[in-house]
Amino acid sequence: MDATNDILLGKWHELKGHVREQWGKLTDDDLTQLSGKTEELAGVLQQRYGYDKAKAETEINDWLSKH
């Protein structure tokens, strides 16, 4: 997930709104704290949506491939 993390970190401000559209249970505070860190996003998705780690990573990778 290193390449994914680099993409998300580099474009976080641009993608933040799209992240919120995709995962509406994330709060503004979540988005501020994440700052584009993929591992932390996966952790928050696990908490908010009950995903396991693999599902969260798959969701992030699939979403990034579309953006």
Side-chain angles (χ1 to χ4, degrees), residues 15-64:
L15 295 174
K16 211 167 26 172
H18 296 290
V19 169
R20 188 71 185 273
E21 288 175 14
Q22 177 70 26
W23 297 290
K25 291 182 181 179
L26 300 180
T27 66
D28 288 335
D29 287 340
D30 290 334
L31 296 176
T32 300
Q33 289 176 353
L34 293 173
S35 300
K37 297 176 187 140
T38 308
E39 271 187 37
E40 291 181 18
L41 175 57
V44 173
L45 292 178
Q46 288 173 300
Q47 289 176 339
R48 299 280 190 266
Y49 288 89
Y51 295 163
D52 61 21
K53 185 176 180 176
K55 170 73 173 167
E57 290 175 355
T58 300
E59 287 275 323
I60 294 167
N61 288 331
D62 290 348
W63 178 80
L64 275 174

